Amino acid sequence: MEFDREGPRLPAPRGPVSEAVAAHLLGTGPLPAPEAVAAAPVYGDDLQLALYQCYELHYRGFAGVPPDLEWDPDLLRTRAMLERRFLAALRADTPVHDSVEDAVGALLVEPVHGEGVSHFLRDEGELWQLREYAAQRSLYHLKEADPHAWVLPRLWGRSKAAMAAVEFDEYGGGRADRVHARLFADLMTDLDLDTTYGRHLDAASAECLATVNMMSLFGLHRALRGALVGHFAAVEITSSPGSRRLAEAMRRTGAGPAAEHFYDEHVEADAVHEQIVRHEVIDGLLEQEPWLAPDVVFGIDATGFVEDRFGDRLLADWRAGRSSLRTPLPTTSRVREEIAHIP
């Protein structure tokens, strides 16, 4: 995984809102007017990229962007407008369960005939589709666990201790070579993908950006700590079976040992994490703050909502025989050989 001392380059704008945010970051123009923010489709490329740009200042920033813009009051006001629209849409559009028990119970049920992305990739996915999936997921996995770490100062007691224990595993248990972001970079190397942080932002769909933006939204707001815990629970509980299918996809296509290892590692680790999150993080939080139960449910179900949107986009593109990316990946010799054998 490569690191730029100044951060990744700013992405290409996708509309007037993301263009204005980028101009402000570079000191070349004003922020978008409230009317422009209000007019941008909430799940569309322009609004989601603008929000992603705002959030990235709290991670590694961008090349050529002064670090102190992280707390620029005018930019924070624009970010708040973007966030209000995104959060309101998530609350309006997400079907929610009646209770935490119902929401968690639904996560624990594996459909007999699954039809999601991991099922598709396991059963019929091709190498070029695995590369596209990894390129888009790199927006999160190259900073894996970082959005969830924001919640630690907002927890205490059982929930804090348990959350910290899971995060410690995500960060390699003190070993740099086992940090999950490092393991994902190794997976990308097996797939002949550029591992530079932020390299594939221009290629990622709006649906992908929304999955990462939601983590940052929940993590950066203390008022949404219950939703962040719900989101984390949804990720950890569903990770083990999904990772098993993706590991099988990597083996079937000959993606490489590091590609297999990343998902094999998650099969084992997340099976343990599931129990900790259910019985210590969630139960510990609600023991102290029972009024946060609706927020935990919302976090669980909103995760399913944005992930389903992303999955539907991937499968619609792939089943139509087209790329799911906005910009193409370099075609490697392995992919060219695979394409040559398609009847």
Side-chain angles (χ1 to χ4, degrees), residues 17 21 31-34 37-38 42 47 50-55 58 70-89 217 220-221 224:
V17 178
V21 168
L31 285 161
V37 174
V42 70
L47 187 145
L51 189 54
Y52 191 98
Q53 291 175 119
C54 292
Y55 284 145
H58 299 292
E70 178 183 5
W71 301 111
D72 176 64
D74 293 332
L75 184 63
L76 290 175
R77 278 190 285 271
T78 295
R79 195 190 90 184
M81 287 189 288
L82 296 165
E83 287 178 323
R84 282 194 293 270
R85 291 208 58 214
F86 186 34
L87 182 59
L217 171 66
L220 286 167
H221 290 270
L224 295 172

